[in-house]
Amino acid sequence: AAKPPDMAHFWLISAPGENGSKEDTWKSLQRATNELSTNYKLKVPELRVGTLDSLMTLSDDLERIDRYKSLNSRRSSMHYHQVIGREVEETMSSHLTEWPALHPASHVTFVSSHPLMSWRRYVEGVVHRIEKELREHSSGGDQDPTVDDGPVDRFFTSFNWDEARYPVKNSLSELVQMIQDLIHRTDEELKAKLMDYNSLKSQVGQSERKTQGGLNAKSLVEYVRKDHVISTEKFNTVFCAVPKFAVKDFQAQYEEWSEFSTDKGKLNGVVPRSAMKVTEDPEYELWRVVVFRAAEEDFKNKAREGRVTIRDFTFQEGQAAVDSQELTKLKSDTERAWSALVRWAKTSYSEAFRAWIHLKTIRVFVESVLRYGLPPNFQAMLVKPGKNEDKVRKTINQLYAHLGAGMENNAEDAAGTKFYPYVDIDCKLLSTAGE
């Protein structure tokens, strides 16, 4: 069975090292929360920062693009790469080590407009869409997806940076670009595979609907025989679905429903006594009538006035067998596409989820450096509050209250998002988490 939502809901927080010690920061959180929450250390590698000027420019540019928050997340992420791409080589000069932390009050604006948040939402959306497809199409639909054959929360709480895939010697912009490329490629593959599968599924549905319903709508292939059809240069066969309550009127009137003019005067457009009952269902009877081609449209119009449904049908020898074979093939193709989609989703979910957690790690690093200054000296921690969210939040707020000097309590941005004197990133690993 699926896990309770709180099992996949974490807060990713960071706080500066107490007296320079990350371990002391960790122990302080453990003591403060005691048994209220389950906490884990998040291992954040030493990523390349860039110069003070480049990161301050990044912060300024992000504030300026805040008004574009409503644009789609991909466009925001591209803007981010254009800005952060102006990073210069890390020099570790004296002005870097002396760089003061941003004041928490100014950091509120930065965090609310940070493109990593917009790009994170795009990545999160792709991960959750793959999760949705797994739940919908896999045989164990009530099971949570896995990463490396284990629960998603286990991967998160035991996270190790993948140096082989994301070398820390690369700049932040290069690392984010790697993640962007992987997620964008995964998103496009998901769209293509869903399009193929849904197209086949739709074709199967259309084919099956042809054999369903009443004689006024369903395919006539299985009912009409070759001897029912007369089609010559002068004559044609019209098939009529007649409501059972109107059959007597139809039989009495159909021969009078059309006429046409010739050089010898007007002639009846219907071949006398040509009506033949083909089949019936609970509501309709299917009749064939032979008419002169010159009077065919007039007959059809009069028939419709008599509450008869005209069934346009062209007989083809062996069509029933062909249709049956096509439906069998479509079902087989759909089954293969479904299996391929599920296999792909299981593999791609793990890949996308790993990329997503690496992006969260980059985000907590960037926000911590901008919040606490250089050189980086902070402890990133995962807090699983469970059912004690209010108590845990109050406890952590009190623990780090000294970091928020000059910052209003429960500061919010225009969208109502709350900010705290410590870095705080909400992490809902599954689409159902926190609901």
Side-chain angles (χ1 to χ4, degrees):
K3 293 180 179 181
D6 63 286
M7 295 296 288
H9 186 202
F10 293 83
W11 299 334
L12 171 53
I13 70 171
S14 79
E18 292 184 12
N19 301 316
S21 172
K22 298 180 184 178
E23 186 63 25
D24 286 351
T25 300
W26 165 250
K27 290 179 179 179
S28 293
L29 176 70
Q30 289 288 73
R31 284 193 301 269
T33 56
N34 198 7
E35 297 181 356
L36 287 175
S37 63
T38 306
N39 309 319
Y40 306 85
K41 288 182 181 179
L42 181 70
K43 300 174 185 176
V44 180
E46 291 189 11
L47 302 172
R48 288 175 54 184
V49 177
T51 65
L52 167 62
D53 289 343
S54 67
L55 287 181
M56 292 305 293
T57 298
L58 170 62
S59 177
D60 291 342
D61 286 346
L62 291 173
E63 290 185 71
R64 283 197 294 272
I65 66 171
D66 185 45
R67 64 183 182 276
Y68 296 117
K69 282 172 63 180
S70 61
L71 294 178
N72 65 66
S73 54
R74 291 198 207 184
R75 188 169 172 184
S76 296
S77 67
M78 291 303 295
H79 193 108
Y80 169 74
H81 297 309
Q82 293 168 4
V83 174
I84 203 169
R86 294 199 293 270
E87 285 184 319
V88 298
E89 293 298 314
E90 181 178 7
T91 62
M92 297 306 293
S93 59
S94 59
H95 76 275
L96 260 175
T97 58
E98 295 170 1
W99 177 27
L102 289 178
H103 192 279
S106 65
H107 186 69
V108 168
T109 302
F110 170 78
V111 175
S112 67
S113 62
H114 203 305
L116 272 176
M117 295 184 72
S118 296
W119 177 238
R120 183 267 304 171
R121 282 191 289 270
Y122 170 59
V123 175
E124 179 180 323
V126 174
V127 172
H128 285 169
R129 284 203 299 278
I130 300 174
E131 176 198 337
K132 173 180 175 291
E133 295 307 322
L134 277 173
R135 292 185 187 279
E136 181 175 336
H137 298 296
S138 63
S139 55
D142 61 338
Q143 297 292 322
D144 287 333
T146 59
V147 179
D148 296 338
D149 298 321
V152 294
D153 55 326
R154 186 176 74 187
F155 177 86
F156 197 21
T157 56
S158 60
F159 172 76
N160 284 295
W161 185 272
D162 188 345
E163 172 65 19
R165 183 180 286 273
Y166 304 108
V168 295
K169 67 180 182 180
N170 290 7
S171 68
L172 290 175
S173 60
E174 290 171 333
L175 292 174
V176 173
Q177 184 66 52
M178 291 176 187
I179 295 173
Q180 177 186 1
D181 291 344
L182 186 150
I183 294 298
H184 178 70
R185 185 168 60 252
T186 301
D187 191 23
E188 292 303 310
E189 288 178 4
L190 174 61
K191 291 176 182 176
K193 290 184 179 298
L194 279 176
M195 184 178 297
D196 291 343
Y197 171 70
N198 288 330
S199 175
L200 287 168
K201 189 177 178 181
S202 176
Q203 291 178 56
V204 170
Q206 291 174 3
S207 294
E208 289 180 334
R209 282 193 293 274
K210 289 180 181 179
T211 64
Q212 299 169 353
L215 289 169
N216 62 323
K218 66 189 304 184
S219 172
L220 303 182
V221 169
E222 62 179 298
Y223 304 111
V224 177
R225 302 190 308 270
K226 187 175 182 179
D227 59 284
H228 290 143
V229 180
I230 295 176
S231 181
T232 66
E233 182 180 349
K234 291 185 177 181
F235 298 101
N236 197 23
T237 302
V238 177
F239 291 94
C240 304
V242 185
K244 286 194 170 182
F245 65 82
V247 168
K248 289 185 178 180
D249 290 340
F250 168 78
Q251 291 175 312
Q253 300 172 8
Y254 79 92
E255 291 184 5
E256 302 172 0
W257 279 351
S258 69
E259 61 181 16
F260 64 103
S261 299
T262 67
D263 53 0
K264 297 181 180 179
K266 290 186 177 183
L267 295 178
N268 192 330
V270 178
V271 176
R273 296 184 295 281
S274 63
M276 176 188 295
K277 181 179 175 180
V278 177
T279 188
E280 65 179 299
D281 65 18
E283 296 184 11
Y284 290 89
E285 291 184 4
L286 181 67
W287 290 74
R288 78 92 199 259
V289 177
V290 180
V291 300
F292 285 90
R293 288 189 181 275
E296 184 173 343
E297 290 306 314
D298 186 35
F299 174 84
K300 290 180 178 180
N301 290 333
K302 292 289 179 58
R304 293 186 183 103
E305 292 175 5
R307 294 173 292 188
V308 170
T309 300
I310 299 299
R311 301 300 316 278
D312 292 323
F313 177 77
T314 301
F315 177 81
Q316 291 182 307
E317 191 76 50
Q319 188 62 43
V322 171
D323 288 352
S324 177
Q325 292 171 1
E326 287 183 353
L327 180 57
T328 299
K329 183 177 183 300
L330 277 174
K331 288 182 176 180
S332 177
D333 291 345
T334 303
E335 183 70 21
R336 283 196 295 270
W338 172 83
S339 298
L341 173 61
V342 171
R343 287 195 303 271
W344 175 90
K346 288 180 178 178
T347 300
S348 297
Y349 180 81
S350 286
E351 287 289 320
F353 191 91
R354 284 194 290 267
W356 183 28
I357 300 307
H358 279 79
L359 186 69
K360 285 187 177 295
T361 305
I362 294 173
R363 183 181 167 200
V364 76
F365 177 85
V366 170
E367 294 191 16
S368 297
V369 168
L370 287 171
R371 178 79 65 103
Y372 308 130
L374 285 174
N377 182 29
F378 62 90
Q379 180 62 56
M381 298 163 284
L382 297 172
V383 177
K384 184 160 66 174
K387 298 179 180 179
N388 301 313
E389 288 197 11
D390 292 341
K391 291 181 179 179
V392 176
R393 180 65 75 186
K394 183 178 180 181
T395 299
I396 297 177
N397 287 350
Q398 291 172 347
L399 178 63
Y400 299 125
H402 64 282
L403 299 176
M407 181 179 180
E408 294 182 8
N409 292 330
N410 299 320
E412 296 184 356
D413 70 355
T417 303
K418 290 184 178 181
F419 298 97
Y420 305 96
Y422 49 92
V423 172
D424 178 86
I425 301 171
D426 196 52
C427 301
K428 296 177 180 178
L429 304 185
L430 299 174
S431 60
T432 55
E435 292 181 353

